[in-house]
Amino acid sequence: MKESLWVVKMNYVNIENLSFSYDDKKIFSNVNMQIRKGDFISILSSNSSGKTTFLRLIKGLLNYNGTITVDNKEISAIKENICLLTPFTESYSKTILDELLLITNDIVKIKKILKDFDLYDEVNKSTQSLSYFDNQKLNIIKCILKNPKLILIDSIFSFLNKHEKLKIFSMIKKYQLELNLTIIYTTVNLEDVLFSDSVYIINNKKINLISMEDLFTSKIIKDNHINIPVFYELKDKLKLYNLISDNVSIIDEMVDEICR
């Protein structure tokens, strides 16, 4: 029998009936999710809606009701192999190279990934002197070098400009595809999900999958105060006055219709 040309992705992260409360305040109620090996998923929601809490639950830092498994293993057994990236992390080594040598002695691998992230020329620079941008690149590099079972990224790009954000997203996507990494990313910005394989929204204590087709028009997006790119906000306002059609999808088309 011929081997299929299609690669079937298996469920890798399984979340069943997950519930969690802070004191008497319910944060999640009976959440069920299945994430495939090698997928990059984004979770959208407004601030203070549970994004960070959700990642901390998957990392095994909080007690919960329900079941979370990664690669068919309970979180408690593999939480050291789950990498959680947060906006504020600390490095203690003298230089970037010192920091990475604590993880691996593979100089060839270190050299390659530093070049990919444009940090090779800074290899002897003090970790304490890094900009926020370079510090986050270093943290991602450290995470990738650890060969994690799962990477969790908690809104680390909020303080980056669009060029910096695009650079990091591009490199994360490159390594996701090369190494078949499974990544969960949380954000309040709709434009940040464009590199995702799928997008979820936290709403009414649930985490729901939303199609890319509905992503920029969903009432849930607006009701949850998620940051919408300026283009889509402007498009909605112009449509109210019948100045543009539903078919407009890029800024050039918008300008053409307005100027007719």
Side-chain angles (χ1 to χ4, degrees):
M1 189 169 112
K2 281 188 176 181
E3 185 177 344
S4 172
L5 295 177
W6 295 97
V7 177
V8 178
K9 288 189 175 183
M10 305 299 292
N11 287 339
Y12 186 68
V13 180
N14 286 283
I15 300 172
E16 297 179 1
N17 301 318
L18 174 67
S19 295
F20 177 77
S21 299
Y22 275 126
D23 297 326
D24 294 328
K25 182 181 179 182
K26 180 73 75 174
I27 307 299
F28 295 112
S29 178
N30 295 319
V31 171
N32 292 279
M33 291 176 65
Q34 288 77 43
I35 300 168
R36 298 174 302 176
K37 173 68 175 171
D39 272 2
F40 185 140
I41 78 157
S42 291
I43 298 179
L44 271 170
S45 71
S46 58
N47 288 320
S48 303
S49 60
K51 297 186 303 298
T52 297
T53 298
F54 181 66
L55 296 187
R56 285 171 59 81
L57 288 167
I58 298 177
K59 173 65 175 169
L61 300 176
L62 301 169
N63 296 321
Y64 56 86
N65 294 318
T67 302
I68 304 175
T69 61
V70 177
D71 196 18
N72 294 318
K73 297 179 179 64
E74 295 288 340
I75 292 299
S76 58
I78 63 164
K79 62 182 181 180
E80 296 304 319
N81 298 113
I82 298 174
C83 184
L84 174 60
L85 296 170
T86 63
F88 303 104
T89 56
E90 295 181 345
S91 298
Y92 300 100
S93 300
K94 290 182 178 180
T95 68
I96 290 175
L97 181 60
D98 292 333
E99 192 81 358
L100 299 183
L101 286 173
L102 293 174
I103 300 170
T104 178
N105 291 319
D106 190 336
I107 297 297
V108 173
K109 183 183 290 187
I110 289 175
K111 181 178 180 179
K112 178 183 183 300
I113 198 168
L114 284 172
K115 285 185 173 181
D116 284 341
F117 279 85
D118 290 333
L119 280 180
Y120 183 71
D121 291 338
E122 313 293 333
V123 68
N124 293 313
K125 192 173 183 178
S126 166
T127 56
Q128 306 302 315
S129 65
L130 295 178
S131 66
Y132 181 82
F133 179 42
D134 285 343
N135 195 52
Q136 291 306 326
K137 288 194 288 185
L138 177 59
N139 289 329
I140 293 166
I141 289 170
K142 288 160 57 179
C143 180
I144 292 172
L145 289 177
K146 292 176 182 177
N147 299 313
K149 291 276 190 181
L150 178 65
I151 297 177
L152 310 174
I153 305 176
D154 186 18
S155 304
I156 67 172
F157 306 138
S158 301
F159 304 104
L160 301 178
N161 62 42
K162 289 187 177 182
H163 172 74
E164 293 170 339
K165 194 181 293 188
L166 180 61
K167 175 65 177 177
I168 292 187
F169 267 127
S170 298
M171 293 316 307
I172 290 175
K173 193 69 181 180
K174 166 184 165 64
Y175 276 88
Q176 177 216 351
L177 297 174
E178 284 185 5
L179 303 178
N180 200 29
L181 299 173
T182 307
I183 301 169
I184 302 176
Y185 170 65
T186 63
T187 182
V188 299
N189 296 305
L190 195 56
E191 62 187 1
D192 287 358
V193 307
L194 299 180
F195 282 90
S196 305
D197 297 304
S198 54
V199 181
Y200 291 77
I201 293 179
I202 298 177
N203 186 51
N204 293 327
K205 302 176 181 62
K206 303 287 186 182
I207 303 179
N208 302 308
L209 180 68
I210 184 169
S211 69
M212 288 294 184
E213 291 78 13
D214 295 335
L215 193 55
F216 293 101
T217 58
S218 173
K219 184 175 183 294
I220 296 175
I221 294 288
K222 296 177 182 178
D223 290 348
N224 282 275
H225 308 292
I226 291 166
N227 296 337
I228 302 173
V230 173
F231 169 79
Y232 294 96
E233 290 188 304
L234 181 58
K235 179 180 176 179
D236 283 347
K237 291 176 182 177
L238 291 173
K239 283 171 59 180
L240 285 175
Y241 295 97
N242 295 317
L243 294 175
I244 61 171
S245 67
D246 288 332
N247 297 325
V248 169
S249 59
I250 59 175
I251 191 68
D252 288 345
E253 293 174 350
M254 179 183 289
V255 172
D256 286 344
E257 289 204 7
I258 294 173
C259 294
R260 281 176 187 170

